[in-house]
Amino acid sequence: MKTINTLERGLLVLQELDELRGQSLAELYEKTGIPKATLLRILETLRKNRFIWRAMGDGCYRRTISIAARRQLDERTLQLAEIAAPFLVQLQKKVIWPSDLTVPREGYLELVETSRRYAGLGIAEYELGYKVDMFLAAPSRAYLAFCREEQREAAIALARANPPANPRSRQVLERELDSVLAETRAQGYGARDPLFGGSNLDKSVHDDQLDAIAVPIFQGDDVIACISLLWPRKFQLRAKLVQAHLADLKASATAIGAALAAS
C-alpha cells in the first residue's frame, strides 16, 4: 500500500520538533532536506491546526503543549508562553517598546517569551531560557515584592546559600532588599536597578543599556510570571512610561492570567 508523501513529510517535521528548545527554519531544512517553500507550507499547516507554535523571542518552532514531552520547560510554562504571546504583541503595538515574559525558577527568573525581535528597535536580545538576576531586574523585584511570603523567603534563603555572582546583586541582597521591596509594593511595579547591566557581571563589564519596569501575573494568590516593559536607558523614559503605560502593562498581566485560567 502506498503512503502519503506529504503526510510523511509533516510527521518528519513533527519528529524534529520534539525537543522543546525549538528549531529554526534553517535547522529544519538542514535536518529534513525538505525544500524551504514546502517546509514553510507544512509549518503553517501545523501551526494553523495547533500542532506547533512559533515563539516571538527566538523565531523557533515548537510543538504545542498537547503533544510536547516534558524536558527543558514544564507544560505550564509552555502553555503560559503560548497564551501570553499575542498579548505581548498587542502591548508592543500600543506602547512601541517591547516586553518580556519571565517565570520564577529556583533562585532566578527565566525568560520564556519576548517581543523584542518584533519591535525592530535595535534593543539587546537574550535567548529564551536566559536566567534573570533575582535582585536587580525589574521582573525579579516585582516577583519578590508580590509573591507569597514563603516563596520569597525560600528564594532569599537560596540566594544566601549560593550568593549571586553580580556584586551589586549581593549588595542589594544583604543591605537593601527590604527597602527595595517596600518601594516596589508602594509604587505597584518593579523597576530595574540603575547599576544593573543585564547580566551576572558588573555593569562596567557588561551593559545592555536598557531600563525596565515589570508587574506580576497572578493565578489566585500565586505570582506565576512577570511581564516587563523595556526601553533604551539613554532616553530616560521611566517616569513618562509609568504615567502613560503602567495601566496598559497591568491590564496585559491581568488578561494573561485570565486567559491561562480559562484555557
Side-chain angles (χ1 to χ4, degrees):
M1 184 177 294
K2 293 183 178 180
T3 58
I4 303 173
N5 186 49
T6 303
L7 178 58
E8 286 183 337
R9 287 183 169 186
L11 293 173
L12 176 59
V13 172
L14 276 179
Q15 289 172 351
E16 293 298 336
L17 291 175
D18 185 56
E19 294 185 11
L20 301 189
R21 72 174 183 85
Q23 301 283 334
S24 67
L25 178 64
E27 288 174 318
L28 287 169
Y29 170 72
E30 182 178 349
K31 291 181 178 181
T32 65
I34 299 172
K36 288 186 178 180
T38 303
L39 186 56
L40 279 171
R41 290 197 297 271
I42 291 172
L43 290 168
E44 179 57 22
T45 300
L46 292 171
R47 187 202 64 78
K48 185 177 179 180
N49 289 276
R50 300 188 61 79
F51 284 96
I52 68 172
W53 65 290
R54 190 181 187 189
M56 294 186 299
D58 56 12
C60 289
Y61 297 89
R62 291 169 170 82
R63 284 193 179 192
T64 56
I65 195 61
S66 60
I67 56 176
R70 290 190 181 211
R71 287 187 186 160
Q72 296 176 357
L73 297 176
D74 59 48
E75 291 186 356
R76 189 180 185 190
T77 298
L78 276 177
Q79 185 183 31
L80 176 60
E82 290 180 56
I83 288 172
F87 293 100
L88 267 62
V89 171
Q90 292 171 13
L91 182 63
Q92 186 269 321
K93 288 180 178 179
K94 184 170 186 177
V95 306
I96 299 176
W97 304 111
S99 295
D100 287 346
L101 181 75
T102 51
V103 298
R105 299 295 186 193
E106 291 190 4
Y108 62 92
L109 263 68
E110 180 178 325
L111 178 66
V112 297
E113 186 56 294
T114 177
S115 59
R116 296 191 192 202
R117 291 176 67 247
Y118 279 57
L121 298 169
I123 288 177
E125 297 180 20
Y126 294 92
E127 293 183 356
L128 298 185
Y130 186 79
K131 296 180 179 180
V132 180
D133 186 279
M134 201 62 180
F135 303 106
L136 304 180
S140 302
R141 290 181 168 185
Y143 171 74
L144 290 173
F146 296 104
C147 70
R148 288 186 285 111
E149 184 177 359
E150 58 267 31
Q151 294 173 317
R152 179 168 53 255
E153 290 178 350
I156 293 172
L158 185 58
R160 285 184 173 146
N162 303 275
N166 190 306
R168 173 58 183 160
S169 189
R170 294 196 301 272
Q171 182 182 38
V172 170
L173 171 62
E174 296 302 329
R175 303 178 189 175
E176 304 173 30
L177 188 58
D178 288 344
S179 61
V180 165
L181 297 185
E183 181 181 18
T184 299
R185 294 186 192 101
Q187 61 194 13
Y189 62 90
R192 177 187 265 218
D193 190 279
L195 298 179
F196 182 44
S199 77
N200 62 359
L201 301 174
D202 186 82
K203 185 179 174 183
S204 63
V205 179
H206 175 90
D207 185 7
D208 61 13
Q209 302 180 14
L210 298 178
D211 198 1
I213 59 173
V215 297
I217 298 173
F218 286 96
Q219 202 75 134
D221 294 330
D222 290 327
V223 177
I224 59 168
C226 292
I227 180 173
S228 58
L229 182 65
L230 49 120
W231 63 91
R233 188 174 57 245
K234 64 182 179 181
F235 294 141
Q236 300 181 0
L237 292 174
R238 183 183 293 182
K240 181 177 180 180
L241 288 177
V242 167
Q243 181 178 11
H245 295 301
L246 178 59
D248 295 320
L249 187 62
K250 289 184 174 181
S252 296
T254 300
I256 292 170
L260 183 63
S263 65

